Amino acid sequence: MDRFDLKIIEQLQRNDNLSIAQLAEGIGLSVTPCWRRIQRLEKEGVIEKRIAVLNPEKLNLGLTVFVMIKTDKHNQAWLDAFKEAVQSFPEVMEVNRLAGEFDYLLKVITRDNQSFDAFYKRLIAKIELSNVTSCFSMEQVKKTTELPLGDVI
């Protein structure tokens, strides 16, 4: 990856609506080499997919809950069942396996307390957990989808 590739992904993660011509001009390449680089970055998996970022509140999905999970099961069968369970819930936006006091952290987005409670009941019915702690987000102070690319090259 060189500086042109880095400029391409930097621009695309800010605004994927740019035409190839606009992108090429902005980074100092002609259209064809810019397009080829994008194709290569997609093929290599650097660019995973292009998506629209939606506003959850405009869609009546204003409640964000961080769910911290502990388990006393540390075997492959439980892990496979857990992965299958969390994949089946559209409310689960992210799942991270942690080092430390908790084993997993889920980011859950839902309408309100009642819909979160319904999610919680479906979750605990699907997979055995030893401890679940939920933290309700009061305010989102920062939100970005842009990766920090300053140290990539």
Side-chain angles (χ1 to χ4, degrees):
M1 185 176 304
D2 64 14
R3 67 182 182 88
F4 287 113
D5 291 341
L6 191 58
K7 286 181 178 182
I8 288 170
I9 60 176
E10 187 174 63
Q11 290 303 309
L12 286 177
Q13 75 173 353
R14 286 191 185 131
N15 182 359
D16 189 48
N17 287 327
L18 295 173
S19 70
I20 299 294
Q22 290 171 314
L23 184 60
E25 182 181 334
I27 65 170
L29 283 175
S30 61
V31 172
T32 301
C34 183
W35 179 80
R36 285 187 185 134
R37 285 174 178 266
I38 292 169
Q39 295 295 316
R40 180 180 44 77
L41 291 165
E42 288 175 339
K43 184 178 178 186
E44 293 173 354
V46 174
I47 299 172
E48 290 183 7
K49 61 183 170 178
R50 300 184 200 194
I51 60 169
V53 178
L54 306 178
N55 181 329
E57 290 185 9
K58 299 275 185 185
L59 298 166
N60 197 27
L61 295 168
L63 182 64
T64 300
V65 184
F66 295 94
V67 181
M68 296 166 288
I69 293 174
K70 288 184 185 182
T71 181
D72 56 5
K73 311 256 190 255
H74 296 280
N75 58 63
Q76 193 62 47
W78 185 90
L79 179 59
D80 291 343
F82 177 74
K83 285 181 180 179
E84 183 179 327
V86 293
Q87 291 289 337
S88 72
F89 293 109
E91 300 95 336
V92 177
M93 305 306 296
E94 295 180 27
V95 178
N96 291 274
R97 189 166 58 91
L98 307 175
E101 183 179 348
F102 292 93
D103 297 307
Y104 295 92
L105 176 66
L106 282 59
K107 179 180 179 182
V108 176
I109 295 182
T110 189
R111 260 188 343 271
D112 52 26
N113 286 343
Q114 287 178 303
S115 58
F116 176 75
D117 187 49
F119 158 79
Y120 174 79
K121 289 173 181 172
R122 292 190 328 267
L123 176 67
I124 62 172
K126 211 166 203 183
I127 189 81
E128 186 179 343
L129 305 169
S130 62
N131 188 344
V132 179
T133 300
S134 299
C135 296
F136 292 75
S137 176
M138 301 299 288
E139 175 186 15
Q140 188 173 61
V141 177
K142 179 182 178 180
K143 177 183 179 179
T144 184
T145 60
E146 295 181 31
L147 295 176
L149 299 176
D151 295 329
V152 172
I153 295 180

